Amino acid sequence: MAKKLVIKVTAGADSPERCSQAFTVAAVAVASGVEVSLWLTGESSWFALPGRAAEFELPHAAPLPDLLDSILAGGRVTLCTQCAARREITEKDVLDGVRIAGAQVFVQEATTDGVQALVY
């Protein structure tokens, strides 16, 4: 059975260590061959936009743009529908490879057999 990981990150610049941990775990999992689905919710929603990850700073942490690029290259990145709407973010605004989907899709992914879900 393939390993699968669904990660929901709710933190952004408001909680940089928690945010960085989520992206780091997702990127390491992708590099390890794990099937990864990263969900951007709450303040992390802004990282679905071009250039926003480059604004994130945390000493002694991997650069967020590098982590996001590796996740996009080998996994799936989803922006929460409601979170996008609250921030007036549309599909035409987001980075290539980022989809917008809602709670039904998250629940479906997180409850699939063989999946481990993490929330940061």
Side-chain angles (χ1 to χ4, degrees), residues 80-109:
C80 162
T81 301
Q82 290 182 16
C83 299
R86 280 189 283 277
R87 290 160 180 81
E88 298 181 357
I89 299 172
T90 67
E91 289 183 358
K92 66 180 171 74
D93 300 319
V94 300
L95 293 164
D96 287 340
V98 174
R99 69 176 177 167
I100 297 176
Q104 180 182 3
V105 177
F106 176 80
V107 170
Q108 181 182 15
E109 285 186 11

Side-chain angles (χ1 to χ4, degrees), residues 10 21 31 97:
T10 64
Q21 289 169 0

Side-chain angles (χ1 to χ4, degrees), residues 20-107:
S20 180
Q21 289 169 0
F23 278 85
T24 300
V25 167
V28 168
V30 166
S32 300
V34 176
E35 185 179 325
V36 173
S37 178
L38 178 69
W39 282 74
L40 305 176
T41 67
E43 286 303 299
S44 72
S45 300
W46 296 113
F47 300 126
L49 298 174
R52 292 304 279 269
E55 298 172 6
F56 181 87
E57 292 184 16
L58 181 63
H60 309 290
L64 201 64
D66 295 348
L67 297 172
L68 182 55
D69 287 347
S70 68
I71 299 162
L72 283 166
R76 177 185 298 140
V77 178
T78 305
L79 172 59
C80 162
T81 301
Q82 290 182 16
C83 299
R86 280 189 283 277
R87 290 160 180 81
E88 298 181 357
I89 299 172
T90 67
E91 289 183 358
K92 66 180 171 74
D93 300 319
V94 300
L95 293 164
D96 287 340
V98 174
R99 69 176 177 167
I100 297 176
Q104 180 182 3
V105 177
F106 176 80
V107 170

